[in-house]
Amino acid sequence: MKHGRVVYQGQTVAVTESADGNVQLPDGSIVAETAVQWLPPMDFGTIFALGLNYADHAKEIAFNKAPEEPLVFLKGPNALNGHRCRTRRPSDVTYMHFECELGVVIGKTCRNVRKEDAYSVVAGYVTANDYAIRDYLENYYRPNLRVKNRDGATPVGPWLVDAADIADPMHLRLRSWVNGELKQDGNTADMVHSIPSLIAHLSSMMTLNPGDLILTGTPDGVADSRVGDEIVTEIEGVGRLVNFIGGDELLSGH
């Protein structure tokens, strides 16, 4: 099942995807996805983000090979945004690129999870778009706060898909479009560090809790995003996430 959260008629409600691909409200009525304001599909806990976790993307940005150990950094909750929302491109930047990423949502409190048991602690999956501003990047191994923690920099959703509905999360197609032009076309099979490896690695250092979110990295094909652009990121079986690029007017809430 696909689960989401929206604001409808002034109320925040939990919704599901209807049989025709629209939004089913708690009372069973169905509305179009454009008739609601989308929120991230749940309140997430710790947000882990992976850098350089696809070999082709590492090569794309001049790394001959991806890191041997997962390159992990943390994101704050204010960085998240919803489906069909706008993300700000600051007026002083020259390059802000999108990143289509599969998000893995933890469903159980766990520690020291073995790779062969990793999927047993997964609640579900989400589509994410983790924008990065190259101008602010001082070091790929230690991305500073402005690169990945700006308000609304990471749209997530529209849906959280139950883990049971995804037969093999390590063989899903990821694609991104800018104004209808295909830019990214990859597959989760090309991850350097697999989902079970990431869960085992993270849980060896710290306790993972329900609602924790692991953003697993992006394949090659990233491109600049400019004010007015429509960016669509889609993951096979998980969801199609639409986002629009705004400018500094978003600082005032307009």
Side-chain angles (χ1 to χ4, degrees), residues 39-242:
L39 304 171
M42 63 176 290
D43 287 324
F44 293 101
T46 302
I47 304 167
F48 304 92
L50 270 292
L52 307 178
N53 198 34
Y54 284 75
D56 54 3
H57 179 54
K59 188 175 294 185
E60 178 182 37
I61 56 178
F63 279 77
N64 291 326
K65 66 175 185 176
E68 293 183 6
E69 180 174 307
L71 172 58
V72 186
F73 53 94
L74 301 179
K75 297 173 68 71
N78 288 341
L80 299 184
N81 206 343
H83 176 56
R84 303 196 64 83
C85 292
R86 292 194 294 167
T87 291
R88 171 177 168 254
R89 177 190 170 114
S91 59
D92 64 339
V93 307
T94 60
Y95 197 95
M96 185 177 99
H97 65 74
F98 54 84
E99 296 183 359
C100 181
E101 305 201 19
L102 177 66
V104 179
V105 182
I106 299 298
K108 298 178 182 179
T109 299
C110 56
R111 182 73 197 273
N112 294 319
V113 180
R114 300 184 304 169
K115 284 194 286 187
E116 54 265 38
D117 299 326
Y119 287 125
S120 70
V121 305
V122 175
Y125 303 94
V126 296
T127 300
N129 180 357
D130 194 15
Y131 288 100
I133 295 180
R134 293 276 183 91
D135 305 55
Y136 297 162
L137 186 61
E138 298 171 358
N139 186 319
Y140 280 106
Y141 291 97
R142 293 188 301 275
N144 62 18
L145 284 173
R146 291 197 300 169
V147 177
K148 291 288 188 176
N149 280 278
R150 296 163 293 107
D151 287 354
T154 309
V156 176
W159 306 109
L160 165 65
V161 182
D162 290 336
D165 294 336
I166 302 297
D168 186 356
M170 289 305 304
H171 283 88
L172 300 177
R173 190 179 186 185
L174 306 90
R175 289 182 291 174
S176 299
W177 293 262
V178 178
N179 301 323
E181 180 181 355
L182 182 65
K183 294 289 187 179
Q184 271 188 307
D185 193 350
N187 196 289
T188 58
D190 297 325
M191 285 186 199
V192 176
H193 302 287
S194 68
I195 292 168
S197 295
L198 293 173
I199 291 173
H201 176 72
L202 293 169
S203 68
S204 73
M205 297 182 292
M206 59 189 291
T207 299
L208 303 180
N209 293 300
D212 287 353
L213 174 63
I214 305 171
L215 302 178
T216 56
T218 196
D220 68 349
V222 298
D224 195 19
S225 307
R226 298 196 169 272
V227 174
D229 284 350
E230 178 192 71
I231 312 296
V232 176
T233 50
E234 182 177 63
I235 300 178
E236 176 185 2
V238 179
R240 179 178 181 272
L241 174 65
V242 178

